């Protein structure tokens, strides 16, 4: 790999604003804001709107769409397609 072309890879705290959850990981993201972490060190913090703690898919609150009902309603409304 060429020297000097890659961004710095360092520990960063991501904070989910919706759930109030934060986690420490490594990333190339940068931020002017910092936060004191549980280990006593200070890390850059990146605020995100949604994470695995607040996303409906991961929390089990996702809704399942009734696609069969949609097809039947379309066929009732516009008629079935004529076979060739």
């Amino acid at each position: 790999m060429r020297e000097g072309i890659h961004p710095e890879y360092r520990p960063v705290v991501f904070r989910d604003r919706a759930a109030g959850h934060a986690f420490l990981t490594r990333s190339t993201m940068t931020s002017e804001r910092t936060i004191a972490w549980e280990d006593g060190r200070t890390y850059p913090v990146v605020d995100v709107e949604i994470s695995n703690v607040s996303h409906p898919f991961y929390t089990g609150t996702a809704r399942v769409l009734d696609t069969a009902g949609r097809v039947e309603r379309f066929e009732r409304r516009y008629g079935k397609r004529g076979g060739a």
Side-chain angles (χ1 to χ4, degrees):
M1 292 193 323
R2 292 187 348 199
E3 293 293 325
I5 64 169
H6 300 285
E8 184 184 352
Y9 190 64
R10 63 179 174 275
V12 177
V13 173
F14 286 91
R15 181 172 48 191
D16 184 347
R17 302 299 281 171
H21 177 73
F23 55 95
L24 178 65
T25 187
R26 294 180 54 88
S27 177
T28 59
M29 293 280 295
T30 59
S31 176
E32 297 295 322
R33 293 184 303 243
T34 60
I35 189 171
W37 193 243
E38 300 161 355
D39 61 1
R41 294 183 179 168
T42 302
Y43 298 104
V45 63
V46 177
D47 291 325
V48 293
E49 296 295 324
I50 197 161
S51 71
N52 65 328
V53 177
S54 60
H55 193 281
F57 178 78
Y58 293 107
T59 59
T61 59
R63 296 181 303 194
V64 177
L65 297 177
D66 179 20
T67 56
R70 288 183 178 190
V71 171
E72 292 167 357
R73 188 170 57 229
F74 178 84
E75 289 176 349
R76 275 196 315 262
R77 208 178 265 171
Y78 300 106
K80 288 191 174 189
R81 191 173 185 185

